[in-house]
Amino acid sequence: MELIPNLPDDVARECLLRSSYQQFPVIASVCRAWNREVSLSQFLHQRKASRHSQELLILSQARVDPAGSGKIIATPEYRISVLESGSGLWTELPPIPGQTKGLPLFCRLVSVGSDLIVLGGLDPITWQAHDSVFVFSFLTSKWRVGATMPGVRRSFFGCASDSDRTVLVAGGHNEEKCALTSAMVYDVSEDKWTFLPDMARERDECKAVFHAGRFHVIGGYATEEQGQFSKTAESFDVSTWEWGPLTEDFLDDTGDTVSPPTCAAGGDLYACWGGDVMMFLNDKWQKVGQIPADVYNVTYVAVRPGKLIVIGNGKALAGYGEATVGYICDLSSSRWVKLETHGGHVQAGCFLEV
């Protein structure tokens, strides 16, 4: 059966490749052949290769008080906002079914292929830890429930993805506030969790990035340290299924850290701390720029080809409902351009190309 009657399939496929991601659910509903076409992993690869894909910035953001009352919100309601990088259009994803009070607090967001994965967090009402996993498909525009995280219910864990198939989780603390050494990996397509070998040390409130085939877990603290953040890091090699040796002085060049800097990985590894942009060069952190002065507290950093994206609070003591401030830095010229943002406090984010 032809994809489009009286057209060669390669021409018809080119038409589908040029469609907006927002049209995918309609395309998939037209006929089985179109549904099958846009559901293939090759379809997404072809969109990227032909430069028809769209880059999306996805944020977990607190709702802004529409009346502008400035009233302090004890427990903010978070939802998922999406920025189309090309058009500058902001949209909002449909709420997760059953989550009437918004996203879990301090949940993690990562992208894998054309899917957004929301992991863990705290119940906005009871503040009990979630072991839930929710997956939003940008091909179908629908949520599904993933396999729950195994083992103890953990909070404030490090999390990153390889962007292709898996999500990796490490550290955090259990419901007794004991820091954890355990780690695990989630295969999104198989909807299956597998435990990794334990880390060398406990890491509560650690940061994590995936870079150069390794899952890097940075900082954090042990149970008895309670907020005295370590400057160590360790990396899991997914090809050998082993943790590398502990790097004792990984954060020594970032200053006296109260908490690990907000890190991001692309072709290189970057961190934002104390108003500075740092880059990991020749096995040490080096200052390569300065964050714009009106970003008081960086809550999200991302690296894209030739660009660094920084989002944070626009006031030193901003409330959850206060507007955020964002910038894009051209890494070749070190020039910052303000990003048109909307919404309140950002607790997590990721990029997705679809």
Side-chain angles (χ1 to χ4, degrees), residues 97-110:
Q99 302 298 303
T100 58
K101 297 299 181 180
L103 296 172
L105 303 176
F106 310 110
C107 63
R108 304 298 190 232
L109 303 184
V110 291

Side-chain angles (χ1 to χ4, degrees), residues 2 24 67 117 192 263 268 271 290 300 307 321 326 341 350:
E2 296 174 321
F24 288 163
I117 298 89
K192 180 181 178 182
C263 300
D268 295 295
Q290 193 163 5
Y300 176 67
K307 299 182 293 185
T341 57
C350 65

